[in-house]
Amino acid sequence: EVQLLESGGGLVQPGGSLRLSCAASGFIFSNYAMSWVRQAPGKGLEWVSVISGSGGSTYYADSVKGRFTISRDNSKNTLYLQMNSLRAEDTAVYYCAKNLVSALAASRDAFDIWGQGTMVTVSS
Amino acid sequence: EIVLTQSPGTLSLSPGERATLSCRASQSVSSSYLAWYQQKPGQAPRLLIYGASSRATGIPDRFSGSGSGTDFTLTISRLEPEDFAVYYCQQYDSAPRTFGQGTKVEIK
């Protein structure tokens, strides 16, 4: 069964850091670009970042550029999101999501598999 | 950035009725790089439609997508009890990938 399982969320103070993980199973992880998408409480979906299958190419939303870093370890079938300088507006459920067909970060591709999400709360 | 506007915000219908959801883009979405997702409370989004009109694996044929350019539609031919949820459109034609604000389909 194709599955994504996020972990690492929690409560953090403004200015703090957190690292999210997403464990993948049931597919050849390195064959697909992976993204992080977040959803603030009661709000819609916001794409955050994408990484290519090889890990060599990454892109970020302007709202997180310079503060968040996406990475992956294909030997461990795991995707990461390092979040620094966190702000209250980063409070959200963070989902990892798999590209439908492509390994390219810049590809035009929908997200066919999503994890269950992990909650990040930034508050003092 | 392409802005997607979904309408209506809420659709109140009864099981068995037809639902028509709209997604309008602020600029043309080339080659129909548009997807629709369903999200139920406390759950992750689920891909329904990609490429504007192709159903994802396992999606019932009562769900259909259409449209091109700036105007897209998701149609649910006959609502089943499990279809009451929030629906989002997403464009993946240009960066950043953007989502509409969602349409809630609720039981009348």
Side-chain angles (χ1 to χ4, degrees):
Chain A
E1 180 191 3
V2 177
Q3 197 169 1
L4 298 172
L5 187 62
E6 301 96 335
S7 60
L11 175 63
V12 61
Q13 291 188 338
S17 298
L18 212 55
R19 188 176 86 152
L20 306 183
S21 299
C22 170
S25 60
F27 64 98
I28 302 173
F29 184 61
S30 59
N31 281 2
Y32 297 92
M34 298 291 296
S35 286
W36 288 97
V37 178
R38 67 184 180 183
Q39 186 171 36
K43 303 297 184 183
L45 300 165
E46 179 190 16
W47 171 80
V48 172
S49 183
V50 62
I51 187 168
S52 63
S54 67
S57 181
T58 60
Y59 297 94
Y60 298 91
D62 287 345
S63 57
V64 306
K65 201 173 294 182
R67 301 187 298 123
F68 289 12
T69 302
I70 191 171
S71 62
R72 65 193 295 162
D73 185 337
N74 286 344
S75 68
K76 295 182 178 179
N77 289 345
T78 303
L79 174 73
Y80 302 100
L81 186 68
Q82 177 67 44
M83 303 185 295
N84 298 331
S85 303
L86 283 161
R87 306 166 180 166
E89 53 265 35
D90 296 318
T91 294
V93 174
Y94 284 73
Y95 296 101
C96 59
K98 168 190 166 292
N99 263 24
L100 177 61
V101 294
S102 176
L104 300 176
S107 66
R108 293 165 165 149
D109 210 351
F111 304 134
D112 68 331
I113 303 295
W114 298 63
Q116 89 292 345
T118 187
M119 183 70 204
V120 172
T121 303
V122 184
S123 175
S124 54
Chain B
E1 170 175 322
I2 296 178
V3 176
L4 300 178
T5 303
Q6 293 186 239
S7 61
T10 301
L11 200 51
S12 298
L13 295 168
S14 300
E17 289 194 294
R18 181 184 187 91
T20 303
L21 288 66
S22 174
C23 176
R24 178 162 289 180
S26 60
Q27 55 190 277
S28 183
V29 177
S30 63
S31 301
S32 299
Y33 290 119
L34 187 113
W36 290 93
Y37 299 87
Q38 176 194 67
Q39 188 178 35
K40 297 178 181 179
Q43 296 185 18
R46 178 174 71 142
L47 177 65
L48 299 175
I49 301 288
Y50 63 94
S53 60
S54 297
R55 271 187 301 276
T57 303
I59 301 303
D61 60 7
R62 64 179 181 273
F63 291 92
S64 63
S66 63
S68 63
T70 60
D71 290 295
F72 298 87
T73 300
L74 175 70
T75 301
I76 310 171
S77 59
R78 287 177 55 86
L79 283 164
E80 297 288 340
E82 62 267 29
D83 299 337
F84 292 92
V86 178
Y87 293 82
Y88 294 95
C89 58
Q90 180 216 9
Q91 67 82 21
Y92 47 98
D93 181 26
S94 66
R97 303 176 187 187
T98 49
F99 294 86
Q101 83 282 13
T103 289
K104 182 179 182 180
V105 178
E106 65 176 22
I107 300 176
K108 186 174 182 180

